[in-house]
Amino acid sequence: MFGGLFHATSTTQIFHIFIFLISAAILQLTAFYPRKVWIPEYASLSKLFIYNFVYYRTKIVNKMAEQFRIIEYPLILLFIISGAVFLVSTSDLVSIFLSIELQSYGLYLLSTLYRNSELATSGGLTYFLLGGLSSCFILLGTSLLYANSGSTNLDGLYIITSLSDISNASPADNSLLQSISSFTNFSSKEAYYINFSLLIISVGFLFKVSAAPFHFWSPDVYDAIPTIVTTFVAIVAKISIFIFLLELVHYTSNSLFSFQFTWTSSLLVSSLLSLIIGTVLGLTQFRIKRLFAYSTISHVGFILLALSINSIESIQAFIFYLMQYSISNLNAFVILISIGYSLYYFTNNSDEYKELVDKNNSPIQLVSQIKGFFYINPVLALSLAITIFSFVGIPPLIGFFAKQMVLSAALDSGYIFITLIAILTSVISAVYYLNIIKEVFFDKSDYKINPELNNMILYGSIIKNNVSSMEESISMSNKEATFKLNNIVLSSSLTITISILTLIILLFIFIPREWLSTANILALILFNT
């Protein structure tokens, strides 16, 4: 499409739909009010359709919603999603850079969108400066590729690199070798330069997906920016980049000349470092978003391991792992945001909590803040536990099958050492995951109901839906309703999203065919083209 700038395949179309679904779920966090008034006697279907419940929109009901209603937010998300969709389908060096910059600049703007937050501004500036540095690597690599191959189209690069085993041709085939070499005007020196150019490009992309050793920006940025923005930065950017790298790795893994160290080996080294660093440094974290950042680095290690092996089994594991990681991570962040919404009428006398900076944009910042949350909202606590157990890889949750597929593919391809490291780090990482479970379920909560709000009674009116204005509705109301703080609950948009994502994680063992078949078919299509 568009003169070879983009292409459409089964893989790109599936992940376009996946990006749209993930983005729609994230948009719900700011599209609706986070809480609603729920009075059971007025909640039957007939009364919901015929009558409307009018109440004064107090800060108690709408607290922590208005500050997220920034008018530029959906427009910036549109730029990010457009960049992600273009990057998944890109087929040219020019469109690579345009797509990644369109996505990245949207993420920089999104990180600094909350101007009342000094932390978010500093975090967004850090992200912008270091992201600009990684873009320089990508631009340098693409310019070197163009200088050595003479074409900006990736298909031409794939054709050059897919002419394998020529350097090992027998003397009888010298005439064939010479004719092909003269036709392509290609030498071993230029092949080395292409391999080196792809290595430089991979550094830029590994930086953007926060893979070790280029991970140092992500814990600080994740922790500084608002939690709603962290949800988008942690998920959507990684999906598009990994799917782009999937085709780049697949079509350039068979090089024209044999190298002792190909550019895809750098992905294997990064995978090993990500597994170790994401696990070891995560053990010392007490801020929950920094802990999630190191957890993400560890998961990126598994994804890169599957990507660098490049067999049918590993690509199937790669696609499946990327999907389940996105869903599990999304559920974890939505639950974290919902916990902040559900603590609106509780108070805490801890000086540590009172001194937290930027509490409005990120109400839950410390692991200790969710201590004893099971006794406040057991259903939400159970959903968080299921998601965290999936991160650990406890069967029969979806995370177990994803890790098992990656490790099986690595063993089949002979990567025994890195498989042992992955198993070991997965076990060690369970320490900080299970520490969250311990805090939520077994420790006593520091929260107490605010005594000023404990006995507060709020008033509303039950009116028919066909009235035209608020004044008319109040004058025509014939029923007065009262409600207390217990009647203010999480809105349906949050509860339904969390329920669906948690059930997918929990009940995957009963519906595995569709997921695994999709991943298998996409891997087979990739290897047959």
Side-chain angles (χ1 to χ4, degrees):
M1 297 182 291
F2 304 108
L5 288 177
F6 302 99
H7 67 284
T9 65
S10 302
T11 306
T12 62
Q13 290 176 337
I14 288 290
F15 277 93
H16 285 171
I17 296 170
F18 189 66
I19 288 172
F20 293 148
L21 291 174
I22 293 290
S23 303
I26 297 174
L27 260 175
Q28 288 187 98
L29 298 175
T30 51
F32 307 101
Y33 282 108
R35 291 192 288 269
K36 66 181 180 183
V37 177
W38 179 261
I39 306 177
E41 55 265 30
Y42 299 111
S44 64
L45 283 176
S46 60
K47 290 184 178 179
L48 282 176
F49 283 108
I50 298 172
Y51 294 99
N52 192 19
F53 181 52
V54 179
Y55 56 90
Y56 294 106
R57 295 186 175 274
T58 63
K59 290 184 178 179
I60 297 172
V61 178
N62 295 322
K63 186 182 177 185
M64 295 167 51
E66 292 294 343
Q67 75 269 26
F68 294 125
R69 293 179 176 272
I70 296 179
I71 195 169
E72 301 93 348
Y73 185 80
L75 185 63
I76 294 173
L77 290 196
L78 180 63
F79 291 147
I80 298 171
I81 296 166
S82 300
V85 167
F86 290 154
L87 184 60
V88 167
S89 301
T90 189
S91 184
D92 195 276
L93 297 178
V94 176
S95 58
I96 288 174
F97 191 71
L98 291 177
S99 303
I100 193 66
E101 287 308 290
L102 179 60
Q103 174 181 282
S104 297
Y105 276 114
L107 291 171
Y108 305 151
L109 288 172
L110 195 64
S111 300
T112 57
L113 195 60
Y114 297 92
R115 300 179 188 89
N116 62 336
S117 169
E118 184 180 344
L119 270 180
T121 305
S122 63
L125 187 61
T126 303
Y127 189 23
F128 167 67
L129 293 174
L130 296 178
L133 177 64
S134 66
S135 297
C136 290
F137 280 100
I138 296 172
L139 194 58
L140 175 62
T142 53
S143 61
L144 289 175
L145 271 182
Y146 174 68
N148 287 286
S149 65
S151 171
T152 62
N153 197 286
L154 288 181
D155 288 338
L157 180 69
Y158 296 156
I159 291 171
I160 292 171
T161 55
S162 63
L163 296 172
S164 58
D165 299 327
I166 290 180
S167 60
N168 300 321
S170 62
D173 295 330
N174 278 339
S175 59
L176 176 63
L177 177 60
Q178 291 172 1
S179 63
I180 292 177
S181 297
S182 62
F183 176 72
T184 59
N185 194 24
F186 206 71
S187 67
S188 60
K189 188 176 181 181
E190 289 168 326
Y192 171 79
Y193 283 148
I194 282 187
N195 190 55
F196 183 68
S197 304
L198 290 170
L199 178 63
I200 294 175
I201 290 177
S202 71
V203 169
F205 281 112
L206 289 175
F207 200 103
K208 289 189 179 293
V209 297
S210 67
F214 314 105
H215 66 283
F216 46 85
W217 61 271
S218 63
D220 294 330
V221 172
Y222 282 23
D223 193 39
I225 60 181
T227 308
I228 285 180
V229 178
T230 311
T231 309
F232 217 90
V233 173
I235 299 172
V236 175
K238 290 180 174 53
I239 297 173
S240 57
I241 291 173
F242 276 126
I243 296 303
F244 165 72
L245 286 176
L246 170 62
E247 292 196 355
L248 192 65
V249 168
H250 177 69
Y251 289 116
T252 60
S253 58
N254 294 322
S255 180
L256 176 61
F257 291 89
S258 299
F259 298 109
Q260 291 182 347
F261 183 86
T262 62
W263 78 276
T264 53
S265 302
S266 65
L267 301 181
L268 205 59
V269 174
S270 179
S271 168
L272 179 63
L273 292 175
S274 298
L275 288 168
I276 296 172
I277 290 173
T279 300
V280 174
L281 296 184
L283 294 172
T284 61
Q285 301 306 314
F286 61 91
R287 296 183 68 86
I288 194 160
K289 283 197 292 182
R290 290 182 69 90
L291 191 148
F292 278 171
Y294 284 110
S295 165
T296 297
I297 294 168
S298 179
H299 287 297
V300 165
F302 276 95
I303 294 172
L304 286 174
L305 174 59
L307 180 63
S308 56
I309 295 170
N310 193 34
S311 64
I312 292 181
E313 186 182 2
S314 73
I315 297 304
Q316 179 183 357
F318 165 82
I319 293 171
F320 180 72
Y321 200 107
L322 186 58
M323 285 184 169
Q324 74 84 24
Y325 155 80
S326 303
I327 288 174
S328 300
N329 224 21
L330 173 61
N331 199 35
F333 277 110
V334 174
I335 291 172
L336 194 63
I337 292 168
S338 300
I339 289 174
Y341 289 145
S342 63
L343 294 175
Y344 67 99
Y345 65 89
F346 287 87
T347 184
N348 195 301
N349 296 323
S350 172
D351 293 333
E352 185 182 19
Y353 299 162
K354 291 178 181 178
E355 293 172 0
L356 287 175
V357 182
D358 203 24
K359 286 190 290 187
N360 282 340
N361 294 326
S362 298
I364 305 297
Q365 298 179 27
L366 307 175
V367 175
S368 58
Q369 280 182 274
I370 56 175
K371 184 163 50 174
F373 186 74
F374 175 74
Y375 302 102
I376 297 173
N377 191 328
V379 177
L380 205 56
L382 284 172
S383 296
L384 179 63
I386 290 169
T387 307
I388 288 174
F389 280 137
S390 180
F391 282 153
V392 177
I394 302 294
L397 304 177
I398 194 170
F400 165 77
F401 294 100
K403 287 187 176 183
Q404 184 265 336
M405 288 171 68
V406 172
L407 296 175
S408 174
L411 279 177
D412 289 347
S413 300
Y415 295 90
I416 298 174
F417 174 73
I418 197 169
T419 303
L420 292 175
I421 294 295
I423 294 171
L424 185 63
T425 54
S426 187
V427 171
I428 295 173
S429 67
V431 173
Y432 59 75
Y433 286 129
L434 295 178
N435 180 55
I436 299 176
I437 301 294
K438 180 186 81 70
E439 295 262 4
V440 172
F441 287 88
F442 298 104
D443 289 354
K444 187 178 179 181
S445 176
D446 294 330
Y447 292 100
K448 295 180 181 178
I449 296 177
N450 191 335
E452 297 178 4
L453 304 176
N454 194 16
N455 297 318
M456 180 178 287
I457 297 177
L458 302 169
Y459 298 91
S461 302
I462 307 296
I463 54 102
K464 287 193 174 182
N465 280 328
N466 56 0
V467 294
S468 57
S469 66
M470 182 65 70
E471 291 80 6
E472 186 182 354
S473 69
I474 294 172
S475 63
M476 291 179 60
S477 61
N478 53 8
K479 285 188 180 180
E480 292 293 329
T482 60
F483 60 97
K484 293 188 176 182
L485 295 178
N486 293 336
N487 298 114
I488 304 175
V489 296
L490 289 174
S491 66
S492 300
S493 61
L494 288 172
T495 53
I496 292 173
T497 302
I498 292 171
S499 301
I500 292 173
L501 294 176
T502 305
L503 288 174
I504 289 173
I505 295 168
L506 180 63
L507 303 179
F508 167 77
I509 193 170
F510 297 108
I511 48 168
R513 184 184 300 273
E514 290 76 12
W515 288 73
L516 296 177
S517 296
T518 301
N520 192 25
I521 290 169
L522 291 178
L524 289 172
I525 289 173
L526 188 66
F527 274 82
N528 288 332
T529 53

